[in-house]
Amino acid sequence: PPLPPFRTSTLQQEASRRCGFSPKRTMRIAQMLYEGVDIPGRGPTGLITYMRTDSLRLAPEAIEASRKYIGEACGAQYLPKEPHYYTPKGKAQDAHEAIRATAPNLTPQSLKQFLTPEQSRLYELIWSRYVASQMADARIARSTLVCSSGAYQLRQTGIVVTFDGWGSVYPLGVKDSDLRPAVEGETLDVLKIDKEQRFTQPPSRYTEAGLVKVLEEKGIGRPSTYATIIDTLSIRGYVERGEED
């Protein structure tokens, strides 16, 4: 099934992973998109809904608009019979919707010339997640190849995307494998043997995206304070960033 639309924490995490933006930078850009961008023929236009929220709710008109866009732009096979509804885990205030584009027909490509590069990247992330959240499920075929060599058993898994569904708009996060069909009982030739020694590694250091995730999971702060908390940790010297924003 598709991923839900963004809330503050997930937007900050994805913007960090995909765009390299710090939470503070993400919220600054989102604020500009929310307040409005001057578009010829339309004037100042707010491009996203309020960006400080922990709700996953979409307004009925937003669902209707996205379904209409999907049917017209993507085709009937990408439009599910019923809308998708999402509920966040734990306690969440529902004063605001999830973070979404104000209109699905304001596509990232149509607005690119009116936005700065960083505005364009963040808007595309928000727009695509919103539209994808109302699209049909992707279909993935998983296969496992098991072969025996004496007392040893070797196993290889593979994934093939048979229908991209919502992945046509937002990355699915899986890659097709090159696992070829096998016939039961056939003999396999040994082409190469790679030896690899592994050691237990300590937990990796926090990324800013990972820290936002932990803050949310442990109930520390609210959507409006995640970026401020991380910024304060850095300003007071409690932590060091790996690189400057």
Side-chain angles (χ1 to χ4, degrees):
L3 296 170
F6 283 128
R7 58 185 188 273
T8 302
S9 61
T10 53
L11 175 62
Q12 291 176 358
Q13 292 170 53
E14 283 297 280
S16 177
R17 294 190 191 102
R18 300 187 184 279
C19 306
F21 295 164
S22 68
K24 182 179 179 180
R25 185 179 178 188
T26 296
M27 298 310 288
R28 175 175 56 80
I29 301 168
Q31 182 77 40
M32 291 186 285
L33 296 174
Y34 170 70
E35 291 179 351
V37 175
D38 192 20
I39 301 175
R42 298 178 66 104
T45 304
L47 299 180
I48 66 170
T49 54
Y50 194 56
M51 60 285 166
R52 294 182 178 89
T53 177
D54 53 9
S55 174
L56 297 179
R57 174 179 58 84
L58 293 176
E61 56 269 25
I63 294 176
E64 182 180 351
S66 63
R67 287 177 59 82
K68 181 179 179 182
Y69 174 84
I70 294 165
E72 294 175 352
C74 304
Q77 70 272 31
Y78 289 91
L79 184 66
K81 292 182 179 180
E82 299 294 334
H84 295 298
Y85 299 98
Y86 302 93
T87 303
K89 296 179 181 178
K91 295 181 179 179
Q93 295 180 355
D94 201 42
H96 302 283
E97 288 183 71
I99 304 170
R100 63 169 175 84
T102 53
N105 61 345
L106 292 175
T107 63
Q109 190 60 37
S110 69
L111 297 178
K112 195 169 187 177
Q113 59 182 316
F114 310 123
L115 304 177
T116 66
E118 62 179 11
Q119 287 174 341
S120 182
R121 292 174 69 188
L122 190 65
Y123 179 72
E124 183 174 5
L125 195 65
I126 294 170
W127 180 92
S128 60
R129 182 78 166 234
Y130 158 50
V131 173
S133 73
Q134 291 301 317
M135 295 182 71
D137 294 355
R139 293 193 291 271
I140 298 174
R142 300 179 184 271
S143 56
T144 301
L145 175 65
V146 180
C147 61
S148 300
S149 178
Y152 299 97
Q153 190 176 78
L154 307 176
R155 183 184 302 267
Q156 176 66 50
T157 59
I159 295 176
V160 176
V161 178
T162 59
F163 176 63
D164 55 1
W166 60 273
S168 65
V169 173
Y170 195 85
L172 283 173
V174 299
K175 294 182 179 180
D176 283 356
S177 65
D178 57 357
L179 186 62
R180 289 170 291 179
V183 178
E184 185 175 356
E186 72 175 308
T187 301
L188 303 179
D189 295 327
V190 178
L191 302 180
K192 183 181 179 183
I193 297 177
D194 293 324
K195 294 182 179 180
E196 184 176 320
Q197 186 176 16
R198 295 188 178 184
F199 298 92
T200 302
Q201 297 293 323
S204 59
R205 297 183 180 185
Y206 281 122
T207 62
E208 291 187 333
L211 190 53
V212 169
K213 184 177 181 180
V214 172
L215 290 174
E216 183 182 34
E217 288 175 347
K218 294 186 177 297
I220 301 172
R222 299 295 301 167
S224 60
T225 61
Y226 296 146
T228 304
I229 290 172
I230 292 175
D231 207 40
T232 300
L233 289 173
S234 179
I235 291 172
R236 295 184 179 179
Y238 299 141
V239 299
E240 291 183 0
R241 285 189 170 100
E243 59 182 58
E244 294 296 325
D245 293 338

